[in-house]
Amino acid sequence: SAVLSVSGVAKAATHKAPTHHAVTSASHGNAGAHHGIHHVASRHHGGGHVIQCVAYAKSASDVMLRGNARDWWHNAAGVYDRGLEPKAGSVLNFRATRRMPLGHVAVVRNIVDSRTIVIDQSHWAQAGISRNVSVIDVSPNNDWSAVRVALNNRNSYGSIYPTYGFIYPHSASKN
């Protein structure tokens, strides 16, 4: 078993996670921060471990970047086109926040109207893969710089989250 340092205390891992699944102390979404190692009992992927948002976005889109979600916007510069307009197949890139220190990425499935899109994502609010989740643009300039994500009951929306914008699944234009 591996040894992990959580909050400065060495602990032996009690599970054998595949190396492609990161063990983090960050929590995504609106579930309240739990620091340290935590196990999720609902909506698992593959071998019983929750797939992280980055791994899911890579598998569900044509955007292939490295790093934590908070780094994708900058890592996409010169590699993929980026912008403020949602397009099906693009990746919505959430900025890091206190509640979401590693940021978040989600794949845009379709556009409902100028202020509403539908996404697929993983590891939001400590859940596994969530499909057909509504997201509304609440930014004052309709530029998708601030969004709210539908909660489980789909009739209400969670907190406001800042975003960078959308990463498009085609190579950046060369000038």
Side-chain angles (χ1 to χ4, degrees):
S1 87
V3 175
L4 303 174
S5 177
V6 180
S7 302
V9 177
K11 294 184 180 179
T14 57
H15 66 284
K16 293 182 173 133
T19 57
H20 65 277
H21 290 287
V23 177
T24 67
S25 62
S27 115
H28 277 63
N30 208 14
H34 293 285
H35 297 286
I37 298 173
H38 43 271
H39 300 277
V40 178
S42 65
R43 290 191 273 180
H44 288 76
H45 171 79
H49 299 283
V50 173
I51 186 171
Q52 301 293 318
C53 66
V54 164
Y56 177 76
K58 285 186 197 180
S59 71
S61 77
D62 290 327
V63 176
M64 301 294 151
L65 292 168
R66 293 180 180 252
N68 290 315
R70 68 177 176 218
D71 304 319
W72 271 36
W73 187 257
H74 303 291
N75 292 347
V79 180
Y80 294 100
D81 286 339
R82 303 173 300 170
L84 303 178
E85 178 186 344
K87 295 180 183 177
S90 66
V91 173
L92 175 57
N93 194 179
F94 291 73
R95 293 177 179 265
T97 66
R98 171 176 272 161
R99 295 163 90 186
M100 215 166 47
L102 298 179
H104 185 67
V105 286
V107 180
V108 177
R109 285 297 162 218
N110 61 54
I111 314 308
V112 176
D113 58 41
S114 68
R115 302 282 273 193
T116 310
I117 61 175
V118 175
I119 62 168
D120 291 346
Q121 64 184 347
S122 186
H123 204 239
W124 184 264
Q126 299 305 320
I129 296 169
S130 304
R131 299 187 195 281
N132 299 313
V133 178
S134 179
V135 176
I136 55 174
D137 174 19
V138 295
S139 63
N141 297 323
N142 193 24
D143 62 7
W144 290 89
S145 61
V147 300
R148 293 178 71 195
V149 178
L151 300 174
N152 288 338
N153 65 18
R154 299 181 187 264
N155 293 326
S156 61
Y157 290 82
S159 300
I160 296 172
Y161 288 93
T163 71
Y164 289 108
F166 300 90
I167 301 170
Y168 307 116
H170 44 79
S171 297
S173 304
K174 304 247 190 290
N175 291 335

